[in-house]
Amino acid sequence: MDRRRFIKAGVLGALSAVASPALQALPAVTTSVSAGGGSVVGHAGRGLSMRFFPYELQLRHAFNLARYSRTTTPDVQVEITVDGITGCGEASMPPYLGESVESVSKFLSGLDLGQFNDPFRIEEIHEYMDSVAPGNNAAKAAVDIALHDLTGKIMGQPWHKIWGLDPAKAPCTSFTIGIDRPEIVREKVAEAAPYKVLKVKMGLDNDKELVEIIRECRPDVPICVDANQGWTDRGKALDMCHLLAERGCLFVEQPMAKENVDDAAWLTERSPLPIIADEAVKRLGDVASLKGVYDGINIKLMKSCGMHEAYQMATLARAMGMKVMLGCMTETSCGISAAAQLSPLAEYADLDGNLLISNDRFDGVKIIDGRITLDPARPGIGAVLV
Ligand code: MG
């Protein structure tokens, strides 16, 4: 086994040997390429150097969706450094996306970013990452976010300014209310008082009851509905869309299984509310085929492999007359602030993932009067370690 493979094998062996909670205690791993071309650990070579480590996110409330429930989210934090400047990124891996601390660590360990001297060559680095392995979207997003943070810091500007976006056009973010017992739902709605839009997760048998509880507590608040593929009958889904429209809802996200393209197109044609794709769209290549099937797309950095492709997806969707929503996983303010840089391009935003955890490592984008408020003085992704 050559030295490079030996080091990688050692790193992966160490990662796979430790159970999830203990992963937080693992030392950070650095991979880079020395001037001589050999891969070394813990040494910043002449090119980009990367460090990453697992960081388990603790949820304030158990998160209940139509298909599962959980109290933590696995996450990997990434730092990329060049010439003494460091950019931060992260990969958040809710289990249904199929990535894990182990898969992300394996993918990142296999990257040779030391071959790149220029962090601005983001397109080329994405092509390289896609050539290393397909999938691994969250792992690729972590690298992409760190590169955007790094290049923004080098330029001394935040990415919304680099993209030429007006921060005054950033929308309000919704605050998510998961499926739960009525008393917990009331508690969560009270907690969500500062937010001007609520998002409610549906897809079980108490959908109507959930809307009525929220309406009791907040008679006028706009409500976004996310069924997370939980509805199975398109006729009943249409009835529900009519009921939700009467109850002041704004749109319905992923009402039925992502594979049900014909049912989605049928519902979109008839629904009084916009129908937004979430599970049915991941990357840029998915967007064009969804025109006519959904009214809009929910872009998330962990699906789109980061900010580079998310910007292209938003631009394409708008050009095709589709609505743009920005969503997130449970993430620290690193990932959320990165997504927020794009928010002036979105009609709807659901960037509350950092508000749902109790161990945020970053101070980032602020929600003021319910609205995403970008700080033009903070370069890169606009988040700093606390
Ligand atoms: Mg969704």
Side-chain angles (χ1 to χ4, degrees):
M1 189 182 287
D2 64 27
R3 175 173 164 74
R4 186 171 166 181
R5 282 193 181 165
F6 172 77
I7 290 167
K8 279 185 194 166
V11 167
L12 295 179
L15 285 169
S16 61
V18 184
S20 176
L23 281 171
Q24 283 196 52
L26 275 177
V29 177
T30 300
T31 62
S32 64
V33 174
S34 71
S39 180
V40 292
V41 173
H43 169 76
R46 288 171 65 189
L48 304 177
S49 80
M50 178 169 64
R51 170 181 178 265
F52 62 89
F53 56 94
Y55 186 75
E56 190 173 69
L57 305 180
Q58 308 294 325
L59 308 189
R60 291 182 190 278
H61 292 284
F63 201 57
N64 304 319
L65 301 182
R67 295 186 173 193
Y68 67 92
S69 172
R70 65 175 199 274
T71 55
T72 61
T73 302
D75 186 282
V76 172
Q77 301 277 312
V78 171
E79 293 171 2
I80 297 178
T81 301
V82 72
D83 296 333
I85 302 176
T86 296
C88 297
E90 77 176 313
S92 168
M93 293 85 65
Y96 63 89
L97 287 180
E99 292 182 74
S100 63
V101 167
E102 289 74 19
S103 72
V104 169
S105 300
K106 182 179 177 189
F107 179 80
L108 296 177
S109 297
L111 292 182
D112 173 12
L113 292 188
Q115 68 185 290
F116 298 99
N117 291 319
D118 182 355
F120 286 85
R121 292 168 82 162
I122 293 174
E123 175 89 21
E124 198 178 326
I125 294 172
H126 271 288
E127 283 170 10
Y128 163 67
M129 288 198 290
D130 283 338
S131 77
V132 169
N136 293 285
N137 298 33
K140 292 170 184 174
V143 172
D144 171 282
I145 294 167
L147 287 172
H148 279 81
D149 195 34
L150 176 57
T151 49
K153 284 173 176 169
I154 291 169
M155 288 185 275
Q157 300 293 341
W159 268 91
H160 69 271
K161 282 183 80 173
I162 298 164
W163 279 320
L165 303 178
D166 178 2
K169 291 184 177 166
C172 287
T173 182
S174 54
F175 185 85
T176 301
I177 309 290
I179 294 170
D180 226 312
R181 301 194 306 277
E183 62 272 23
I184 304 286
V185 170
R186 285 191 185 90
E187 195 181 299
K188 287 180 181 173
V189 173
E191 204 177 289
Y195 302 97
K196 309 284 186 199
V197 182
L198 296 184
K199 172 165 160 174
V200 61
K201 295 285 191 178
M202 290 194 173
L204 295 182
D205 51 10
N206 63 343
D207 291 350
K208 291 178 189 172
E209 187 192 358
L210 267 175
V211 174
E212 295 312 321
I213 292 170
I214 293 171
R215 273 285 160 262
E216 273 171 33
C217 306
R218 301 274 302 267
D220 300 319
V221 71
I223 300 172
C224 315
V225 170
D226 188 356
N228 283 111
Q229 313 185 75
W231 297 345
T232 52
D233 180 286
R234 69 184 191 182
K236 285 183 185 166
L238 181 59
D239 291 345
M240 199 65 195
C241 288
H242 281 289
L243 183 142
L244 294 171
E246 286 166 16
R247 304 301 282 140
C249 294
L250 295 176
F251 61 82
V252 176
E253 197 181 321
Q254 201 64 54
M256 293 173 285
K258 62 184 179 184
E259 297 82 12
N260 290 355
V261 175
D262 292 345
D263 285 344
W266 182 91
L267 183 64
T268 295
E269 200 181 332
R270 292 161 179 80
S271 169
L273 295 177
I275 306 295
I276 308 291
D278 182 4
E279 285 85 346
V281 59
K282 282 188 173 176
R283 298 191 61 173
L284 180 63
D286 302 326
V287 178
S289 66
L290 296 180
K291 171 74 176 166
V293 181
Y294 295 91
D295 293 299
I297 57 168
N298 184 350
I299 300 169
K300 297 177 180 172
L301 300 188
M302 296 302 138
K303 297 189 298 180
S304 69
C305 302
M307 300 164 73
H308 184 66
E309 210 161 296
Y311 178 82
Q312 294 174 312
M313 291 171 76
T315 307
L316 176 59
R318 285 161 64 98
M320 292 196 305
M322 296 177 79
K323 294 182 186 300
V324 171
M325 173 179 180
L326 267 181
C328 62
M329 311 302 172
T330 39
E331 298 164 18
T332 69
S333 289
C334 174
I336 298 298
S337 301
Q341 298 295 324
L342 285 157
S343 62
L345 287 172
E347 275 96 359
Y348 312 119
D350 180 35
L351 296 180
D352 63 349
N354 54 337
L355 308 171
L356 305 176
I357 64 169
S358 58
N359 59 339
D360 198 348
R361 299 178 66 233
F362 290 87
D363 176 58
V365 64
K366 298 287 183 295
I367 308 302
I368 300 176
D369 280 339
R371 190 168 297 281
I372 295 167
T373 307
L374 295 159
D375 184 349
R378 275 199 179 173
I381 61 171
V384 293
L385 277 167
V386 290

